Structure formats: structure tokens, C-alpha cells
Amino acid sequence: FLVAMGIKWEECEAAAAAAGEKVASLKKEGAEKELIDGAVAVLVEAKAALKVALEEAMAALPLESDEYKALQAKVPAPPKQSKKEKKAEKASSTTADADKEAAQKAALDAKMAAREKKKAAAAKGAPPAKAPPPAAPP
């Protein structure tokens, strides 16, 4: 779509704005999902080209200049995660938490079983059995 090398950031900004307007109009019209997805892909690409062009323009300016700060404010934010991506991320972290919790429960169960065995042996008058060391968590 756009190659930022050699293209002025103003042109990239205009292309990104046009792509954004296209997405908005397609959504307003209730267009098919495939059309909207295609327009969103073009918008994401245009914003990436704008970011590169702005960073190239900023590299030629002193850090404390007003023009540098103005260009820095124009750098587009990274795209937000979709609900689907957030859900997948949450599920993966939940799985890790569940695995850790299961390992802790297994260690606690083993410890309680050893205590019960020791109590039962003491009740029968047998010498106390030495408990095995607790299993290390994975």
C-alpha cells in the first residue's frame, strides 16, 4: 500500500485519514464483514506507514524542538486488542494459574496424607514413620 521511505508524513497522514473515513462509512452503511475487514487492514497498514514516516521526520529534528514534539503527538497509538485476543490471553493466563493451583493442592494433599499416616501409626503404638520430603512444585 504505502512505503513510508521517501513519502512525506503529511501524505501518509492524509492516506490514514481517508482509510479511517472509509472504515467509518462502511460501518455506518452496514457493509459486509469482509469489506469492513479489508478496509480495516488498509487502515492499519496506513497507520503503520504514517508511524514510520513520522519517526523518520522526527529523527532529523532536535529532541527538544516544538516541531519534534508536534510530530511525536501525531504518532498513532498501537491498535487495541480485539475482544477475541483479550479472551484468548485471559484463557492462557487462567490455564497457567490453574496448573499452579493444582500443583499446590497436590502438595498440600500429600502433606495432609503424611500427617494422617503418622497419626494412625502413633495411635497403634508403632514408631513414627519418616515422611518423604514434599514434592517440588513444577
Side-chain angles (χ1 to χ4, degrees):
F1 177 74
L2 287 175
V3 177
M5 303 272 299
I7 296 178
K8 293 184 178 182
W9 67 265
E10 293 93 345
E11 294 171 12
C12 291
E13 185 176 41
E21 290 172 9
K22 177 74 173 175
V23 169
S25 69
L26 287 173
K27 285 184 174 184
K28 186 176 180 181
E29 295 168 3
E32 293 182 20
K33 183 175 179 0
E34 293 80 25
L35 286 175
I36 294 172
D37 288 347
V40 168
V42 170
L43 175 60
V44 169
E45 192 173 326
K47 283 187 172 187
L50 173 60
K51 181 178 179 187
V52 170
L54 285 169
E55 288 171 349
E56 287 176 359
M58 289 174 8
L61 298 171
L63 293 177
E64 298 302 319
S65 70
D66 290 337
E67 190 176 356
Y68 179 90
K69 291 176 183 174
L71 290 179
Q72 190 175 29
K74 290 182 178 279
V75 174
K80 295 179 182 177
Q81 280 186 320
S82 69
K83 288 181 183 179
K84 193 175 195 179
E85 292 169 333
K86 287 180 185 177
K87 192 173 184 178
E89 185 177 300
K90 185 177 179 181
S92 68
S93 69
T94 303
T95 303
D97 291 344
D99 291 344
K100 183 177 177 182
E101 193 173 302
Q104 289 174 342
K105 185 176 182 334
L108 182 61
D109 288 346
K111 186 175 180 181
M112 295 303 289
R115 284 184 183 168
E116 290 298 320
K117 186 176 181 181
K118 189 175 180 181
K119 282 183 183 178
K124 289 183 180 180
K130 189 171 182 182

